Amino acid sequence: NDIGVNVKSAWHKDRLSGIYRGYERHSPWDVVQGEEMRVVKVGMYLQDHSNPRDHTGLRVVTGSHNISRIPGEKFDIRFLHPSVGDVIIFDQRLTHGGQGPHSPQDHIAPDEVKAAGPGEILSREGQRIMLQLGYGWNNIHSDDFETGTVMRQRLFQSDERGHNGYSPCALRVAQADFKKRGVQYACNNAAACP
């Protein structure tokens, strides 16, 4: 999928977003023709996060891949502590995030609480680099995810579109592609579609 440099992400699920959600012909939680979505994210870490108080690597809400929404109140949050070169593989539907402060609605797993609070590392200076790849079982869900991801990457890498995959120009390109494919998807703001 991409190489993340200095990315700070709030809680999210790795599914198509904004205008690109139109490429999802079915919800990633639907069973279609007997097939479930089976797309995993493979994250390769190029910085050390092995300190138990370092919470800048990856935080996850366990079991959250089973529900489509990101709850306001999150329970059983776990921090992963990869070393340089470690690989973490997870279901892309899992609610997860990177570095940043906790909110009062973030409930850390009981065995993780001792590593939270004073002295906890919530952000880090300097470059953060992580290589991410997505792999999916060959079915309609992974086909849709690949189509939307390829379009998003094409538009983000386009000089003509100003490297902005959520610009009005990108919206027009995606809408034209939808029309060509016979996809009905109403969206007037490339970044804020449902």
Side-chain angles (χ1 to χ4, degrees):
N1 292 93
D2 45 32
I3 297 174
V5 178
N6 296 332
V7 174
K8 295 181 180 180
S9 58
W11 290 109
H12 66 284
K13 294 176 181 282
D14 288 337
R15 66 181 292 194
L16 296 171
S17 62
I19 186 67
Y20 308 104
R21 182 74 52 90
Y23 289 99
E24 285 183 358
R25 290 178 284 173
H26 306 279
S27 165
W29 289 268
D30 289 347
V31 175
V32 180
Q33 300 166 353
E35 301 266 354
E36 294 180 47
M37 180 176 185
R38 295 282 186 228
V39 179
V40 295
K41 172 66 61 91
V42 178
M44 287 158 265
Y45 285 79
L46 304 176
Q47 272 92 23
D48 184 45
H49 299 279
S50 60
N51 178 336
R53 298 188 62 76
D54 181 347
H55 297 161
T56 65
L58 180 65
R59 58 184 77 175
V60 301
V61 179
T62 58
S64 60
H65 62 290
N66 293 314
I67 57 170
S68 62
R69 64 182 180 79
I70 299 173
E73 192 161 15
K74 295 158 204 67
F75 295 89
D76 207 23
I77 295 170
R78 298 201 170 271
F79 302 101
L80 281 69
H81 304 285
S83 296
V84 173
D86 279 357
V87 173
I88 294 176
I89 301 172
F90 61 94
D91 187 312
Q92 288 198 162
R93 298 171 298 175
L94 185 72
T95 301
H96 63 283
Q99 65 182 351
H102 310 295
S103 83
Q105 290 80 35
D106 292 347
H107 302 284
I108 299 166
D111 60 324
E112 294 267 11
V113 170
K114 64 184 178 295
E120 173 181 30
I121 303 166
L122 295 171
S123 65
R124 83 176 28 220
E125 297 299 319
Q127 282 200 330
R128 295 180 71 234
I129 304 172
M130 181 180 147
L131 177 62
Q132 302 176 73
L133 302 168
Y135 289 96
W137 280 242
N138 189 15
N139 65 30
I140 193 166
H141 292 292
S142 58
D143 291 346
D144 291 350
F145 187 78
E146 178 183 20
T147 302
T149 299
V150 167
M151 176 60 84
R152 185 189 74 218
Q153 295 294 51
R154 186 184 118 206
L155 294 173
F156 269 107
Q157 294 170 11
S158 168
D159 289 334
E160 174 186 337
R161 312 280 184 284
H163 300 280
N164 183 349
Y166 292 110
S167 69
C169 184
L171 176 65
R172 287 191 298 276
V173 171
Q175 286 173 329
D177 190 52
F178 291 155
K179 186 175 182 180
K180 182 175 75 174
R181 294 171 184 273
V183 172
Q184 299 291 319
Y185 187 66
C187 178
N188 296 315
N189 179 336
C193 299

